[in-house]
Amino acid sequence: MNSWQQVYQKWNTFQNLDLSLKATLDDLKTNNRALEDAFYKELTFGTGGMRGVLGPGINRMNIYTVRKAVNGLANYLLVNRVNVKDRGVVIAYDSRYMSKEFAVEAAKVLGYYGIHTHVFESLRPTPLLSFSVRYFGSVAGVMITASHNPPEYNGFKVYNETGAQIIPEEAEKIIASIKDTTDELSVPYLELEQLVARRLITWVGKEVDNAYVERLAQISIMDQMTLNQEKGLKIVYTPLHGTGRDLVTRGLAQLHFPNVHIVEEQAVPDPGFSTVESPNPEEHQAFSRAIALGKQVNADILLGTDPDADRLGVAVKQKDGEYQVLTGNQLGSLLLDYILKKNDPVVYQNARMIKTVVTTELGRAIANSYNVETIDTLTGFKYIGDKIQQFASTGETFVFGYEESYGYLISSFVREKDAIQAAVMATEMASYWQQQGKTLFDVLDELYEKYGYYLEGLSSLTLKGKEGGQQITNIMEAIREQPFKEIAGFKVEKVENYLTGERVLVKEDMVEEISLPRENMMKFMLEQNAWVCLRPSGTEPKIKCYFGVKGNSSEDSKQKLADLQKKMEEILAGIID
């Protein structure tokens, strides 16, 4: 009997197995391929948490895998933090299947160890969870969400006492603690009634929301007279069946934007995301209903937040009346330019803009023009949050942070990407430029003309299951063993191996250290300011290939990007074959 079959038999014969999971196992009993995928390995707990398909098995999201993760977290906290039981843990959840159930299961396990929990009484956005950790002075936060993944997914994200996602050093200790729990089916917990009776759980209402909204008003950089005026900008907003509606609309209302039209059929929380192929504002199909409403009300700007409201997409009306969705790199660059243009230059003395290594270099060019230093981090907003925390001791000032995947942070009262902050600031920015007679695309063209025609792209190759995971490993190993010397006619100037922490300068035949945490990622810096980066996704069965170019014109950039993308897709296909 294979090892996965032994684990399956343990689950299948467990007398107290959750009835819905038992029913699913019964349905799968003749499907060995599906059973193997569910039981051949434990669901990966990565650098921020875990995410996976719902269902029975150790490679699935269910009450038992959640309990095991929380058990490990509880033991980690008790050893590595002080006053853990009283300070407690904050738990929030979004609109996905089983989200509230998993939140309560987390509280039940923490309660067994005497750790108090603050659990939101209804669904809330991820950035509010980040804010609430520091608001309550808690030792950690847990967010039940799978962000923008398909409906069959859910996830479990862990935040440290700063309100940022846990960093690798913390994750390694938590993972070790989780592994000490050998049997996920027998994790100890209290019943909910016991938590209430022992006052180990507090249900959180609107108190934190109100405190967040007060801070949200302070990010505006409008002068007082403009702030108090009603603005004429017409806005359409879709929460994409998620958590963003209340805080986004409150944020816009307090800045006196009265013309906000909600896509009502997408304003209702729906774990099936019934009106979209994917609840991801990175994918333009998610805006189809917002575009239809935008045309109906003649909106100037369309806003879309993903289910847990940490990512924002924006579409802008063009002169021909059609709407075009900005890329994450474009919106981030526009926000950065607006914030630096409108802010007091006095703050720039020690100001820092933070971006990831796969985010557009246009941001660096904009920041340089204001004498603001750019700091690069690895992919993932946890690294931006951690860098902000370091500023408390270095005297540096955070002015903006962003990543290409539609994540932005304007003010550090949250330590996670925040689509609510970004929605409010993007609206303010669009209103400002409208008063100057410009759309956001007009301003973007001006930035390109001034700094260069930066253009970025992304290809994702999905390789599911045990076989797919091995294929992804093979791709990365092949590229590390034989790094490219040229790609699509572009000579390689630098090779950055983030797994070994080494940067090879090809012409100089020199090796430098990369002063960032280790990660399974390869980046190739090419001539003519082009670059390519390969990285397995930490949350999906994908390998991602990022591209960036800088051209002399829009057409030049598009051609260079197309050449790079075509060549890399050919290379990846060749490795798999």
Side-chain angles (χ1 to χ4, degrees):
M1 185 181 290
N2 293 327
S3 58
W4 73 261
Q5 291 172 316
Q6 293 173 342
V7 182
Y8 161 62
Q9 287 298 333
K10 184 181 78 169
W11 276 58
N12 198 40
T13 58
F14 183 58
Q15 289 189 345
N16 296 319
L17 192 71
D18 175 82
L19 293 179
S20 64
L21 295 177
K22 177 65 174 173
T24 304
L25 275 186
D26 289 342
D27 290 340
L28 294 175
K29 62 186 177 183
T30 60
N31 188 341
N32 271 4
R33 188 184 183 97
L35 287 174
E36 181 179 8
D37 192 54
F39 288 97
Y40 84 96
K41 68 168 187 174
E42 291 187 308
L43 188 63
T44 302
F45 192 100
T47 54
M50 62 186 188
R51 189 180 300 182
V53 174
L54 292 161
I58 60 174
N59 191 30
R60 296 288 184 264
M61 283 290 296
N62 51 65
I63 62 172
Y64 302 107
T65 53
V66 168
R67 285 175 185 170
K68 180 173 180 175
V70 179
N71 195 62
L73 174 63
N75 284 293
Y76 161 81
L77 292 172
L78 290 168
V79 171
N80 293 277
R81 295 291 180 267
V82 298
N83 198 20
V84 172
K85 294 182 179 181
D86 290 336
R87 291 171 65 195
V89 175
V90 188
I91 305 173
Y93 53 93
D94 68 3
S95 57
R96 287 181 173 272
Y97 293 116
M98 295 296 293
S99 279
K100 187 168 186 178
E101 288 87 345
F102 291 161
V104 172
E105 290 298 329
K108 287 159 65 175
V109 174
L110 290 165
Y112 173 84
Y113 292 96
I115 300 172
H116 186 270
T117 53
H118 300 272
V119 183
F120 281 90
E121 62 186 9
S122 57
L123 55 86
R124 291 295 193 283
T126 290
L128 191 74
L129 181 278
S130 170
F131 173 77
S132 66
V133 171
R134 296 170 71 216
Y135 178 84
F136 287 117
S138 299
V139 292
V142 169
M143 182 72 199
I144 306 296
T145 178
S147 189
H148 57 280
N149 281 69
E152 63 269 22
Y153 281 76
N154 211 330
F156 174 94
K157 293 168 71 174
V158 180
Y159 290 77
N160 60 30
E161 60 190 337
T162 74
Q165 288 187 52
I166 54 172
I167 56 176
E169 292 86 345
E170 296 168 313
E172 287 173 10
K173 293 180 180 179
I174 295 172
I175 291 168
S177 183
I178 292 170
K179 287 181 178 178
D180 287 340
T181 305
T182 56
D183 184 8
E184 65 283 343
L185 298 178
S186 60
V187 170
Y189 63 91
L190 297 181
E191 294 294 349
L192 181 58
E193 295 78 8
Q194 294 174 294
L195 295 182
V196 173
R198 300 181 192 183
R199 299 183 179 179
L200 287 168
I201 187 171
T202 300
W203 294 103
V204 182
K206 292 289 186 180
E207 170 193 350
V208 181
D209 304 47
N210 296 336
Y212 173 93
V213 171
E214 285 183 17
R215 294 297 301 272
L216 186 63
Q218 298 169 26
I219 74 171
S220 174
I221 46 181
M222 291 184 283
D223 62 74
Q224 196 61 43
M225 186 173 73
T226 304
L227 177 63
N228 292 333
Q229 292 173 344
E230 283 200 350
K231 287 83 174 171
L233 193 77
K234 295 178 183 176
I235 305 149
V236 163
Y237 169 54
T238 173
L240 293 176
H241 299 295
T243 61
R245 178 175 184 168
D246 183 54
L247 293 180
V248 169
T249 53
R250 287 179 67 182
L252 293 173
Q254 68 182 355
L255 296 187
H256 302 286
F257 285 99
N259 300 317
V260 181
H261 304 269
I262 306 295
V263 182
E264 292 295 343
E265 62 268 37
Q266 294 179 333
V268 178
D270 174 11
F273 309 115
S274 54
T275 67
V276 290
E277 294 175 24
S278 169
N280 186 355
E282 294 182 66
E283 298 177 15
H284 294 187
Q285 57 78 25
F287 274 93
S288 58
R289 298 204 179 204
I291 289 172
L293 180 57
K295 290 182 177 180
Q296 182 181 329
V297 301
N298 193 28
D300 301 299
I301 187 172
L302 316 178
L303 309 173
T305 53
D306 69 343
D308 66 323
D310 62 352
R311 299 172 192 257
L312 172 75
V314 170
V316 180
K317 185 173 69 175
Q318 302 286 71
K319 289 181 171 59
D320 62 2
E322 296 299 317
Y323 292 92
Q324 184 172 341
V325 181
L326 290 159
T327 70
N329 282 314
Q330 289 171 339
L331 179 57
S333 299
L334 285 164
L335 286 167
L336 173 64
D337 176 68
Y338 174 72
I339 289 167
L340 295 181
K341 183 186 296 291
K342 294 286 288 179
N343 249 317
D344 186 344
V346 172
V347 306
Y348 301 156
Q349 185 175 355
N350 294 304
R352 304 290 182 263
M353 185 275 284
I354 313 175
K355 71 175 191 67
T356 72
V357 294
V358 296
T359 301
T360 179
E361 289 298 305
L362 176 57
R364 189 189 311 277
I366 293 169
N368 285 345
S369 71
Y370 289 92
N371 295 316
V372 170
E373 182 180 325
T374 297
I375 294 176
D376 289 294
T377 70
L378 291 179
T379 304
F381 228 86
K382 56 183 167 287
Y383 297 111
I384 294 177
D386 183 52
K387 187 61 67 174
I388 293 170
Q389 183 64 23
Q390 294 174 25
F391 290 171
S393 59
T394 63
E396 296 164 283
T397 302
F398 172 76
V399 292
F400 186 65
Y402 74 121
E403 57 185 3
E404 96 299 334
S405 55
Y406 289 59
Y408 320 96
L409 183 63
I410 288 88
S411 175
S412 61
F413 68 85
V414 168
R415 299 295 171 84
E416 170 67 289
K417 53 187 175 288
D418 187 344
I420 301 153
Q421 287 191 31
V424 169
M425 185 57 75
T427 303
E428 176 179 321
M429 172 177 67
S431 179
Y432 170 80
W433 287 118
Q434 185 184 64
Q435 296 305 308
Q436 317 302 313
K438 299 176 183 179
T439 70
L440 293 183
F441 275 104
D442 293 332
V443 180
L444 188 62
D445 286 339
E446 292 176 1
L447 294 179
Y448 288 145
E449 189 67 30
K450 182 176 181 180
Y451 299 109
Y453 288 83
Y454 291 87
L455 190 63
E456 298 76 33
L458 170 66
S459 288
S460 293
L461 182 61
T462 300
L463 298 164
K464 293 183 178 181
K466 184 178 181 180
E467 206 174 279
Q470 187 58 52
Q471 287 178 312
I472 291 173
T473 298
N474 293 344
I475 290 171
M476 295 303 297
E477 287 180 353
I479 292 171
R480 272 195 298 272
E481 289 171 6
Q482 291 188 312
F484 307 124
K485 295 181 179 178
E486 65 88 25
I487 306 173
F490 294 92
K491 291 182 180 178
V492 174
E493 295 184 340
K494 299 177 185 177
V495 179
E496 297 181 339
N497 184 339
Y498 288 87
L499 196 61
T500 63
E502 293 179 331
R503 177 186 297 111
V504 176
L505 282 63
V506 177
K507 287 183 180 178
E508 296 85 351
D509 194 23
M510 290 174 54
V511 178
E512 297 177 340
E513 182 183 354
I514 299 174
S515 57
L516 290 172
R518 302 291 184 260
E519 183 166 293
N520 186 17
M521 183 168 71
M522 292 288 290
K523 186 173 183 181
F524 297 88
M525 310 300 292
L526 312 176
E527 60 186 348
Q528 301 179 47
N529 295 293
W531 57 270
V532 171
C533 183
L534 285 127
R535 170 182 171 267
S537 171
T539 57
E540 300 170 274
K542 293 180 178 180
I543 183 166
K544 295 185 175 183
C545 189
Y546 304 83
F547 316 92
V549 298
K550 179 186 178 184
N552 300 318
S553 65
S554 177
E555 293 72 21
D556 183 37
S557 293
K558 288 177 182 177
Q559 186 60 57
K560 288 178 176 177
L561 194 70
D563 292 343
L564 276 179
Q565 185 162 342
K566 180 181 178 184
K567 184 61 179 178
M568 285 305 303
E569 288 173 354
E570 290 174 358
I571 290 171
L572 295 183
I575 295 174
I576 293 173
D577 293 341

